[in-house]
Amino acid sequence: MADRSVTSRTVAQHIESVTQHSVSARTIRRRLQHSGLSARRPLLGLPLKQNHRRSRCQWCDERRMWVAEWKEVVLTEESRICVCNTTMVGF
């Protein structure tokens, strides 16, 4: 199955329909977790208090006129993916 949003119950039903062997959804989740994969619900965002908003606006205002400085900044995309038991080599 290529759809990453499929539930463990749907995967268990698919396996049973293809192999004629029943597998519980819990077994599917346990096997995925054992392989280093786990499900996470996306975080919608943290509510910011007024002083957090003010601090962020101040930070932006202080850097608004940066031209050369922004050329030295590296922006990365942050993801909420949990892959356990992996080693990143060369980083």
Side-chain angles (χ1 to χ4, degrees), residues 47-64:
L48 296 178
K49 295 183 179 177
Q50 187 62 35
N51 62 332
H52 293 130
R53 289 189 188 109
R54 193 176 311 113
S55 296
R56 286 182 180 206
C57 285
Q58 179 183 355
W59 187 91
C60 291
D61 286 340
E62 291 170 359
R63 290 152 181 83
R64 184 176 305 216

Side-chain angles (χ1 to χ4, degrees), residues 64-79:
R64 184 176 305 216
M65 301 307 290
W66 280 14
V67 176
E69 290 89 342
W70 283 120
K71 292 179 182 176
E72 302 296 322
V73 175
V74 176
L75 301 175
T76 62
E77 179 182 338
E78 293 184 22
S79 301

